[in-house]
Amino acid sequence: MKLQDLTLKEFLEKTAANEALPGGGSSSALNAAIASALTGMMANLTVGKKNYAGVEEQMKKIVEEMEENRLHFINDIDRDADAYSLVMDAYKLPKETDEQKKLRSEKIQEAMKVASLVPMEVAERAHKMLDTIIETIRKGNKNAVTDGMVGLMACRTAIMGALLNVRINLDGINDTVFVEELKEKCERIEKDTITRENEMTDWVKSII
């Protein structure tokens, strides 16, 4: 059974168990899905309201966008776990002969790259959502502004968690060009995310 098909209780129990999976990567993807859901909720609560007629069409588009994102991130819950499984499988390969050691090392490097790229994709996709989330919070139904803000905070958690998973995997990769490229992305995305969350936190506090 896929992780995404577990009940919430089952998923949390499996996460808490004495197993490597699901871990922080899958939880980061789940947080991104929650961020999508809460943003979609705020947009839905804006549609049909007389006071927000001027942004109704925009909010309808946001509902569609967030539904697409939510489904994507739900699949990422399993994609992240599958990627890390490749790493664990690679480490289990035999290493008795020089040929086996060479093959094992190559497979580990390949798997570590995959395990870095999947959370990087989660972080980048979640980071791209920030514009829409912030726009929804600023223009949407003010009665749901805190729900929208929780969505933004969940998005930040998704981004920061995914970036941490990228960084820990980069530590074991020998390809310096690959490593430096992803490190630069991590720094840029992290800095922008923190700045924008802090700005929105101050703004929301000023209107509630």
Side-chain angles (χ1 to χ4, degrees):
M1 178 182 286
K2 291 183 177 181
L3 293 172
Q4 63 184 269
D5 294 327
L6 299 174
T7 66
L8 177 59
K9 181 179 179 182
E10 289 170 341
F11 181 86
L12 294 176
E13 288 175 347
K14 193 170 182 63
T15 301
N18 185 23
E19 299 175 9
L21 299 172
S26 292
S27 291
S28 295
L30 176 59
N31 270 282
I34 291 171
S36 305
L38 283 168
T39 305
M41 168 192 174
M42 186 174 185
N44 266 317
L45 289 172
T46 305
V47 172
K49 300 296 189 294
K50 182 173 61 175
N51 292 340
Y52 298 95
V55 295
E56 177 155 340
E57 292 306 312
Q58 183 179 7
M59 290 296 152
K60 286 180 179 178
K61 290 179 181 178
I62 289 173
V63 169
E64 294 177 1
E65 178 186 340
M66 289 301 120
E67 182 175 359
E68 180 182 342
N69 280 327
R70 187 176 75 250
L71 295 174
H72 193 98
F73 288 125
I74 287 172
N75 286 328
D76 285 335
I77 293 171
D78 287 286
R79 285 184 68 231
D80 186 89
D82 291 343
Y84 192 68
S85 291
L86 291 176
V87 176
M88 294 191 294
D89 290 343
Y91 273 102
K92 291 175 184 176
L93 290 172
K95 50 181 178 177
E96 300 300 321
T97 67
D98 288 342
E99 186 177 344
Q100 287 176 339
K101 289 177 182 178
K102 182 175 182 295
L103 177 62
R104 178 176 178 272
S105 178
E106 290 173 353
K107 291 297 183 183
I108 288 173
Q109 288 296 305
E110 291 173 7
M112 292 294 281
K113 283 188 174 182
V114 173
S116 301
L117 289 172
V118 171
M120 191 74 250
E121 289 172 12
V122 171
E124 288 181 313
R125 190 178 186 91
H127 181 249
K128 286 179 181 177
M129 279 204 307
L130 288 178
D131 282 338
T132 304
I133 294 174
I134 290 170
E135 190 169 26
T136 306
I137 294 171
R138 287 189 177 275
K139 296 181 179 179
N141 190 331
K142 291 298 181 287
N143 290 328
V145 69
T146 52
D147 299 296
M149 192 62 204
V150 172
L152 178 59
M153 291 188 288
C155 190
R156 179 258 297 150
T157 298
I159 294 168
M160 302 297 281
L163 293 179
L164 283 175
N165 276 273
V166 173
R167 287 185 169 109
I168 195 169
N169 288 321
L170 291 179
D171 190 52
I173 296 175
N174 299 328
D175 185 339
T176 55
V177 174
F178 179 89
V179 169
E180 289 306 311
E181 180 182 346
L182 265 65
K183 279 186 176 179
E184 187 278 328
K185 284 185 178 181
C186 287
E187 292 297 325
R188 174 173 49 81
I189 291 172
E190 178 180 310
K191 183 178 180 180
D192 183 65
T193 299
I194 292 172
T195 298
R196 298 174 80 184
E197 184 199 20
N198 287 339
E199 289 173 353
M200 285 306 298
T201 299
D202 290 342
W203 183 79
V204 169
K205 285 180 179 178
S206 73
I207 66 168
I208 62 174

